[in-house]
Amino acid sequence: MKPFLFKLNAVAKNILILVQPQVLLSFLIQPFTFISNFLSLTKWIAQQPTEGVYKDAFSLFRNYNNRYDLYSYVIDKAHLQNTEIVYIEMGVCGGSSFEWWMKHNHNDQSKFFGFDTFEGLPEKWGYFFKNGDMNADAPELIDARGQFLKGLFQDTLVPFLATNNIKGKQKVIHLDADLFSSTLFSLSILYPYLQKGDIIFFDEFNVPNHEFLAFKIFTESFYVKLELLGAVNHFYQTSFIVK
Ligand SMILES: C[S@@+](CC[C@H](N)C(=O)[O-])C[C@H]1O[C@@H](n2cnc3c(N)ncnc32)[C@H](O)[C@@H]1O
């Protein structure tokens, strides 16, 4: 029976490829992709533990400042105030989150690396943001421990890792590039450097076709276990620890 079904499946697929269904049906790709990713997101959220996980109070409206409460929770829980860390931020823009981390980690051996084109998004993000949006001049560095790496992640991250030894260091990785491509690229390239106890933040985690999808593909493809530490704004900002 199995070999017969296997053959039937192959024949059906070959016929469908010949018929070219996309000519009439490609308008379904976007809504079906969105629905599929959205359902994966809500299913994933429903499977998360609630005990011992930081959450803000229920609200219909997003409060962007709640992300700082999440950072404070994580920095306390992981004892990162005075620990030597390597902070890597993928997507710096005006630098608000980058500055927060520099101000709240007091170890003078810590290093803070911020990656951005500083010319805005390299491609459109959803319906509301186009290529070039969010462009901002690199903020002034308030602290000698910080450094900005200007350019596409796809051009800057690999050379950076070849010349900076971040292996074995306590890392805080902040993924705030919004885009699926940028987030998946960053996670995949940083993968060999990840170690147990590293912290990863997503700033737009609950966007089904972007950061969530990158997280899903990354964890499923690299067999990486990320344990939820906390989430605010209904998982818009979410933090994990590498297990
Ligand atoms: C939401 S903003 C960052 C906000 C910032 N972390 C904050 O909290 O203030 C996203 C940034 O990601 C950058 N970005 C997205 N994809 C990128 C890529 N592939 N290479 C370089 N920069 C990228 C954009 O230029 C944009 O400035």
Side-chain angles (χ1 to χ4, degrees):
M1 188 67 174
K2 238 185 183 174
F4 170 73
L5 288 176
F6 192 70
K7 261 200 181 133
L8 191 70
N9 175 53
V11 169
K13 195 194 290 168
N14 288 342
I15 293 173
L16 278 173
I17 288 173
L18 211 66
V19 167
Q20 301 216 10
Q22 84 288 351
V23 174
L24 287 178
L25 299 179
S26 61
F27 71 96
L28 292 175
I29 296 174
Q30 268 202 344
F32 278 25
T33 305
F34 179 77
I35 291 168
S36 161
N37 291 334
F38 191 76
L39 292 176
S40 296
L41 169 71
T42 55
K43 185 175 170 194
W44 180 87
I45 289 174
Q47 289 167 341
Q48 295 315 300
T50 46
E51 294 271 307
V53 169
Y54 179 81
K55 286 272 185 63
D56 53 356
F58 176 85
S59 161
L60 279 181
F61 300 99
R62 201 176 282 156
N63 180 350
Y64 214 63
N65 286 330
N66 289 3
R67 70 179 184 157
Y68 300 110
D69 298 336
L70 178 63
Y71 301 168
S72 296
Y73 170 79
V74 172
I75 216 170
D76 275 356
K77 187 176 169 84
H79 309 292
L80 296 178
Q81 292 95 338
N82 298 307
T83 303
E84 179 184 344
I85 63 168
V86 172
Y87 176 81
I88 295 178
E89 186 165 283
M90 306 307 292
V92 176
C93 200
S96 327
S97 44
F98 195 84
E99 257 183 35
W100 191 99
W101 279 93
M102 283 189 122
K103 276 191 187 143
H104 289 81
N105 174 277
H106 310 295
N107 189 302
D108 55 14
Q109 297 306 308
S110 291
K111 295 265 182 279
F112 298 78
F113 300 104
F115 293 78
D116 206 300
T117 57
F118 296 108
E119 289 169 3
L121 294 171
E123 54 184 271
K124 83 180 187 69
W125 180 48
Y127 295 106
F128 303 110
F129 294 90
K130 56 182 192 320
N131 186 328
D133 279 355
M134 305 188 193
N135 96 56
D137 289 337
E140 213 172 296
L141 277 168
I142 51 164
D143 187 317
R145 299 174 301 166
Q147 188 185 331
F148 291 131
L149 294 105
K150 181 173 160 52
L152 277 174
F153 304 161
Q154 286 80 349
D155 295 330
T156 54
L157 188 55
V158 172
F160 163 82
L161 291 167
T163 49
N164 288 270
N165 182 15
I166 65 162
K167 267 207 168 128
K169 305 252 169 82
Q170 167 68 58
K171 287 175 284 306
V172 176
I173 295 168
H174 190 172
L175 300 164
D176 193 0
D178 303 349
L179 297 167
F180 165 76
S181 57
S182 306
T183 310
L184 184 60
F185 174 82
S186 304
L187 283 167
S188 307
I189 297 299
L190 289 167
Y191 165 74
Y193 303 88
L194 290 182
Q195 63 184 29
K196 204 166 173 260
D198 284 346
I199 304 286
I200 302 184
F201 284 91
F202 291 79
D203 202 65
E204 273 78 23
F205 183 78
N206 75 7
V207 180
N209 288 353
H210 286 278
E211 290 188 15
F212 174 71
L213 185 59
F215 162 84
K216 186 171 183 296
I217 292 178
F218 172 70
T219 48
E220 289 174 1
S221 310
F222 288 75
Y223 300 152
V224 171
K225 184 151 172 20
L226 299 182
E227 185 180 285
L228 182 66
L229 288 177
V232 292
N233 292 313
H234 296 280
F235 289 85
Y236 202 60
Q237 284 92 15
T238 303
S239 175
F240 296 92
I241 186 164
V242 177
K243 291 313 268 182

